[in-house]
């Protein structure tokens, strides 16, 4: 995976999320959105280690994972706009993204709930003797759920081809980590104690994320079982919505600015320009291409029709109607 | 085996369930079976005996005590092409997994616009008797029947247990398959070959013209006993074995009530906010002008099942209660001996062969 590809993947996510943030106040995207601005390196670096036949799953903050796994942008934006052309036909919105062609099996917003489902996908792949690895993304809050421990335990017992990616951004909505978990204990340490090889790292270093993810994927493919990553990172905007909320009291502008200075995209830019791996022109070209793609996808979403009301009672059950 | 013997082969309910799983695993490599204690020497009340030996621990497996996550695992494996059967030795244990069943499995097909399917079967046992008590005997089938996206199946005969389980395994939706502990030991004619009983069709177990008794699960047996007693007193009850709650067979229930004009619902669950309430609502809405008497419901009282037999004996309604309710609809008093319990009969066991503990 070239540096340029990693950079492009991160910038793609950043520009999509910023576009959503710009349009959100128009009140036409009528569902909750949980943007991942600031956290792009985890999505881009980890998913770059997966192949098209591999699986990924996520939670409410899934736009970056969906896109980095190869999910269709038009279908994602249309879904957020509640259109018939959305990836879930307008039934799910931002919190229920799916793209089976890209191996993105689904994202649902009950924290922790897709962890066992992803473990099941890995279990099923193993039972079918298929060469597939599954990756599941979640945050620090998920590491407090019971189902987190149950899922990791099962993956360890069965040595499943699954990679657990925890994005620790230190907040669960407005609750800081220190009111939820003991300060002298790490999430990776918990996973390690359950019996899974666990690695902690700087989630804003896309090359690091990609390197360790690729090693974990290779290990899983070879039948050596699961790996757990705890990547530290930071979300720039509010938990849910398009605005900044560093002034309402649960965190400080100073903390945000310190993390902004660690912007994964800016760091990668500086690294590539500094080492001569890319020119500013090349980076600008990438940005221009992405802008064009995103503009067209936004237009597609906004111009797409809404689903017919009759579809409201469709697809309750598969096969025969209930 | 000659045809006559095939026609009369008797199997117990638990053997019929075992055979359904065995035959489905034999014909479809995507079917697998997991649950707490599945390879145990007692084989989930006999329903899984020998299956791990036959299909190996890769397809028939024990699991950690993590019902919630393993329900998610079943869902995830179904998304990628497997067809899991997950077992719980009591419905009460499955409650730990309500989030995965209700938020995830039941809604997955709908919330992703029909793009994915979750073909899982979750078998649960409804406990009763021998002091099972408040947390080992709940019959919360109404909770599951309330959830769009789930199928809910409650066979009352060995024939239906096998046919409905095969249909459930072949169904592309999450199916909650409920087995009553007191039915595991009953015998019935069960064909050897693979056969299916369609979901969503009730069965008229006994024809009659004077009253419709709709029964779920074990209460079918009590309803048939009541029908026998009523027949001796000149009243012919039509007994409907509901056997599938979702989808519900409205048509069979309504056709019967339009004929008899009277309905008693006998349910294994609580009376309050349950299946009997749903059926009475259906009949009130769609057959109101055909009713000759107010509907009656025979179900559990509005508190948990107590443990001591002195209490549980009074807790569970039986045939006598159904009989009394029907007689009341005709302005008749039951005989004083109706509620007598024969000497030597204990009400906290299905029959004398059951000697505890689970």
């Amino acid at each position: 995976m070239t540096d340029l590809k990693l950079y492009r993947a991160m910038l793609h996510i950043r520009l999509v999320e910023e576009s959503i943030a710009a349009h959100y106040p128009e009140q036409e995207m009528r569902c909750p959105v949980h943007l991942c601005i600031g956290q792009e390196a985890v999505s881009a670096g980890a998913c770059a280690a997966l192949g098209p036949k591999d699986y990924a799953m996520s939670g409410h903050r899934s736009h970056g994972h969906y896109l980095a796994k190869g999910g269709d942008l038009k279908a994602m934006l249309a879904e957020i706009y509640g259109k018939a052309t959305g990836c879930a036909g307008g039934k799910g919105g931002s919190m229920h993204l799916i793209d089976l062609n890209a191996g993105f099996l689904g994202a649902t917003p009950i924290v922790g709930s897709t962890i066992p489902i992803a473990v099941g996908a890995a279990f099923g792949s193993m039972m079918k003797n298929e060469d597939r690895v599954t990756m599941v993304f979640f945050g620090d809050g998920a590491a407090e759920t019971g189902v987190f421990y149950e899922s990791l335990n099962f993956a360890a017992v069965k040595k499943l081809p699954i990679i657990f990616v925890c994005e620790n951004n230190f907040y669960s909505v407005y609750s800081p980590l220190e009111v939820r978990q003991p300060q002298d204990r790490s999430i990776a340490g918990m996973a390690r104690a359950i019996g899974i090889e666990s690695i902690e790292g700087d989630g804003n270093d896309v090359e690091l994320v990609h390197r360790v993810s690729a090693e974990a994927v290779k290990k899983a493919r070879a039948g050596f079982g699961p790996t757990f990553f705890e990547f530290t990172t930071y979300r720039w905007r509010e938990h849910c919505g398009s605005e900044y909320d560093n002034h309402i009291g649960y965190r400080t502008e100073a903390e945000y600015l310190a993390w902004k200075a660690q912007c994964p995209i800016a760091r990668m830019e500086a690294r590539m320009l500094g080492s001569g791996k890319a020119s500013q022109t090349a980076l600008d070209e990438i940005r221009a291409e992405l802008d064009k793609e995103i503009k067209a996808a936004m237009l597609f979403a906004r111009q797409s029709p809404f689903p017919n009301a009759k579809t409201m009672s469709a697809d309750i059950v598969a096969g025969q109607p209930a | 085996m000659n045809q006559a013997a095939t026609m009369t082969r008797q199997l117990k309910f638990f053997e019929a369930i075992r055979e359904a799983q065995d035959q489905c695993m034999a014909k479809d490599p995507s079917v697998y079976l997991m649950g707490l204690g599945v390879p145990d020497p007692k084989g989930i009340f006999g329903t899984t005996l020998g299956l791990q030996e036959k299909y190996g621990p890769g397809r028939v497996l024990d699991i950690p005590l993590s019902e919630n996550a393993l329900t998610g695992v079943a869902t995830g494996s179904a998304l990628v092409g497997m067809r899991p059967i997950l077992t719980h030795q009591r419905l009460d244990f499955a409650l730990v997994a309500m989030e995965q069943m209700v938020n995830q499995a039941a809604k997955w097909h709908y919330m992703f616009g029909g793009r994915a399917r979750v073909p899982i079967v979750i078998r649960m046992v409804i406990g009763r008797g021998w002091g099972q008590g408040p947390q080992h005997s709940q019959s919360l089938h109404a909770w599951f029947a309330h959830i769009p996206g789930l199928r809910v199946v409650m066979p009352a005969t060995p024939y239906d247990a096998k046919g409905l389980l095969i249909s459930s395994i072949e169904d592309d939706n999450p199916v909650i398959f409920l087995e009553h502990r007191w039915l595991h030991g009953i015998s019935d004619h069960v064909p050897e070959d693979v056969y299916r009983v369609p979901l969503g069709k009730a069965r008229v177990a006994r024809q009659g013209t004077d009253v419709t008794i709709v029964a779920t699960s074990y209460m079918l047996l009590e309803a048939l006993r009541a029908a026998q007693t009523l027949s001796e007193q000149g009243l012919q009850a039509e007994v409907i074995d509901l056997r599938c709650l979702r989808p519900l067979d409205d048509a069979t229930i309504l056709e019967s009530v339009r004929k008899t004009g009277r309905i008693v619902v006998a349910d294994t669950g609580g009376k309050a906010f349950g299946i009997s309430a749903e059926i009475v609502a259906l009949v009130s809405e769609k057959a109101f002008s055909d009713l000759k008497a107010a509907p009656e419901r025979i179900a559990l009282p509005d508190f948990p099942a107590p443990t001591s037999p002195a209490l549980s004996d009074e807790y569970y309604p039986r045939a006598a209660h159904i009989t009394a309710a029907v007689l009341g609809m005709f302005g008749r008093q039951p005989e004083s001996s109706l509620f007598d319990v024969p000497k030597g009969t204990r009400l906290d066991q299905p029959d004398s062969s059951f000697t505890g503990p689970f």
Side-chain angles (χ1 to χ4, degrees), chain A residues 95-112:
Chain A
M95 298 193 290
H96 304 86
L97 298 182
I98 187 172
D99 190 336
L100 296 179
N101 289 331
F104 192 79
L105 295 181
T108 67
I110 306 293
V111 172

Side-chain angles (χ1 to χ4, degrees), chain B residues 72 90 95 109 115 152 232 253 280 283 287 309 323 326 348 356 358:
Chain B
R90 285 290 185 267
L95 300 188
H109 186 68
R115 281 151 182 73
V152 183
E232 290 156 11
I253 297 169
V280 167
V283 163
T323 303
V326 173
D348 67 342
F358 187 61

Side-chain angles (χ1 to χ4, degrees), chain A residues 55 57 86-88 91-92 96-98 100 107-108 110 113 116-117 120-121 127-128 150 312 314-318 320, chain B residues 32 64 66 68-70 72-73 76-77 80-82 99-100 103-104 108-115 117 149 151 173:
Chain A
Y55 296 133
M57 300 191 77
C87 59
K91 293 275 181 47
H96 304 86
L97 298 182
I98 187 172
L100 296 179
T108 67
I110 306 293
S113 285
I117 299 174
M127 280 193 278
K128 297 178 80 173
E150 296 179 11
M312 186 171 64
D315 301 317
I316 301 167
V317 287
Q320 297 274 354
Chain B
Y32 73 98
S66 307
N68 194 25
L70 269 296
V73 167
S77 69
V80 303
M82 300 302 289
E99 197 280 322
Q100 282 293 330
N103 283 339
Q104 311 302 328
W108 204 271
H109 186 68
Y110 183 84
M111 66 191 172
F112 290 116
R115 281 151 182 73
R117 300 180 170 202
R151 307 283 208 200
N173 299 286

Side-chain angles (χ1 to χ4, degrees), chain B residues 250-278:
Chain B
D250 294 16
T252 299
I253 297 169
L254 290 170
E255 187 185 330
S256 178
V257 173
R258 286 182 184 126
K259 180 172 70 173
T260 66
R262 293 178 175 81
I263 182 167
V264 176
V265 186
D267 184 35
T268 55
K271 188 186 283 195
F273 301 94
I275 300 299
S276 61
E278 177 69 22

